[in-house]
Amino acid sequence: MASLSFMVGIFGNIISILVFTSPIKTFWQVVKKRCTENYKGVPYITTLLSTSLWSFYGILKPGGLLVLTVNAAGAIMQFIYVTLFLIYAPKDKRIQLMKLVALLDVGFPGVVVAVTLLAIHGNMRLTVVGILCAALTIGMYASPLAVMRTVIKTKSVKYMPFFLSFFLFLNATVWSIYAVLVKDFYIGVPNGIGFILGSAQLILYAIYKKQSAASKLEESTEEAEEDGSAHLVKGDVEIGSYNVEDENQLKNRTIAKGRSLPKPPVIRQYSLQKIMKTLSMSP
């Protein structure tokens, strides 16, 4: 059982590292566009807090080397992500996130470590830190609920990266098995909840991925139709203007032609009037 739990723990370390590296593509886009767009910074802040305290738990727990190594690596990666998010976030959002980072990732872990080492003794240390870690891990798995709400509202999976959701699900599954093998309640409960929430994220992704593809197809079709209609309207306007111009030119030519007709001579008109006057004066 010890060797099996060790192998599962190694596999859990690999999966956890993949979870921690999965946002690299997202942050590559953030750095490239120099903007965080609608991505949420809270999941990375809470994950940094969780990995920091789990590292402390691994130090306190006998035989907790696997827990320590993977969470220490995760804490370093999450620190990088949070730093990049703070750099490229809008100014108003950056100020809020900096306050949150100072509270959750600096102040709270410092207080926990200080109180645990100075005020708590014996096995009670592991119990207190284990409860805190379990609660924070549940928060880590529940933090994407805001993103899930955005997916349902917008009917788009743009801001819910698939690989992050998939590896969170896989990570929760493996560590749940590990917790059962080593009989660690503090690891088993939060990862069991993470398994449920991860399953919900994958179901949402499967549902709205098809709708996102269909909406993109409809948008491209509408754009093509609008472009075609614009060309037709433009052609009609050109034809209409051409016809109006032709008609105006024809009228101008007719008027000019009428004006160019020969008028009766003035002398002939005077003679005709004189004859009619003479006839009217005779008996």
Side-chain angles (χ1 to χ4, degrees):
M1 290 295 295
S3 60
L4 179 61
S5 63
F6 182 79
M7 294 300 297
V8 173
I10 292 293
F11 186 63
N13 272 250
I14 296 172
I15 298 300
S16 296
I17 294 297
L18 291 175
V19 171
F20 297 140
T21 57
S22 59
I24 289 178
K25 183 179 179 180
T26 298
F27 279 92
W28 174 255
Q29 295 296 325
V30 168
V31 173
K32 188 177 179 180
K33 295 181 180 179
R34 305 183 67 83
C35 179
T36 56
E37 296 182 309
N38 286 336
Y39 292 109
K40 307 294 183 182
V42 176
Y44 307 104
I45 295 174
T46 56
T47 305
L48 175 58
L49 173 60
S50 176
T51 51
S52 299
L53 289 182
W54 275 115
S55 299
F56 185 52
Y57 178 84
I59 294 173
L60 296 176
K61 179 180 174 62
L65 179 63
L66 294 175
V67 177
L68 171 62
T69 53
V70 68
N71 284 285
I76 294 172
M77 292 181 182
Q78 297 303 318
F79 176 78
I80 296 173
Y81 298 150
V82 170
T83 303
L84 290 175
F85 205 95
L86 291 176
I87 292 173
Y88 294 107
K91 186 176 180 180
D92 55 343
K93 186 183 292 187
R94 185 187 305 135
I95 295 173
Q96 295 177 357
L97 290 176
M98 287 179 67
K99 293 178 180 178
L100 196 61
V101 169
L103 177 64
L104 295 181
D105 295 333
V106 179
F108 186 73
V111 170
V112 170
V113 172
V115 171
T116 302
L117 295 179
L118 297 176
I120 302 174
H121 304 282
N123 294 331
M124 196 64 184
R125 289 179 176 178
L126 192 64
T127 302
V128 172
V129 177
I131 293 173
L132 288 175
C133 289
L136 291 173
T137 303
I138 293 173
M140 181 191 73
Y141 285 123
S143 59
L145 289 175
V147 181
M148 293 169 67
R149 183 176 60 183
T150 302
V151 170
I152 296 172
K153 185 177 180 180
T154 62
K155 297 182 179 180
S156 173
V157 294
K158 180 180 179 181
Y159 298 107
M160 189 175 73
F162 171 76
F163 287 107
L164 178 59
S165 301
F166 174 73
F167 284 120
L168 280 174
F169 165 77
L170 195 59
N171 181 71
T173 304
V174 174
W175 284 107
S176 296
I177 297 172
Y178 175 83
V180 172
L181 293 175
V182 299
K183 299 179 180 178
D184 193 319
F185 177 81
Y186 306 115
I187 296 176
V189 172
N191 283 285
I193 296 174
F195 170 79
I196 297 172
L197 294 176
S199 302
Q201 289 184 50
L202 292 180
I203 292 171
L204 276 181
Y205 195 92
I207 293 173
Y208 290 106
K209 178 65 175 177
K210 296 180 181 179
Q211 294 188 10
S212 298
S215 61
K216 287 181 180 178
L217 181 60
E218 289 178 0
E219 289 177 0
S220 61
T221 304
E222 289 177 358
E223 289 177 358
E225 290 177 354
E226 289 177 359
D227 291 339
S229 300
H231 288 302
L232 288 175
V233 171
K234 185 178 179 181
D236 290 341
V237 170
E238 291 177 352
I239 292 172
S241 61
Y242 175 77
N243 291 335
V244 170
E245 290 177 0
D246 287 350
E247 186 177 355
N248 291 334
Q249 291 178 3
L250 183 60
K251 287 181 179 180
N252 291 334
R253 289 178 183 176
T254 304
I255 294 171
K257 186 176 180 181
R259 289 177 179 176
S260 63
L261 291 175
K263 295 182 179 180
V266 178
I267 299 173
R268 187 177 176 182
Q269 290 180 359
Y270 178 75
S271 302
L272 182 60
Q273 290 176 0
K274 188 176 181 181
I275 294 169
M276 295 296 294
K277 186 176 180 182
T278 303
L279 291 173
S280 63
M281 291 176 65
S282 60

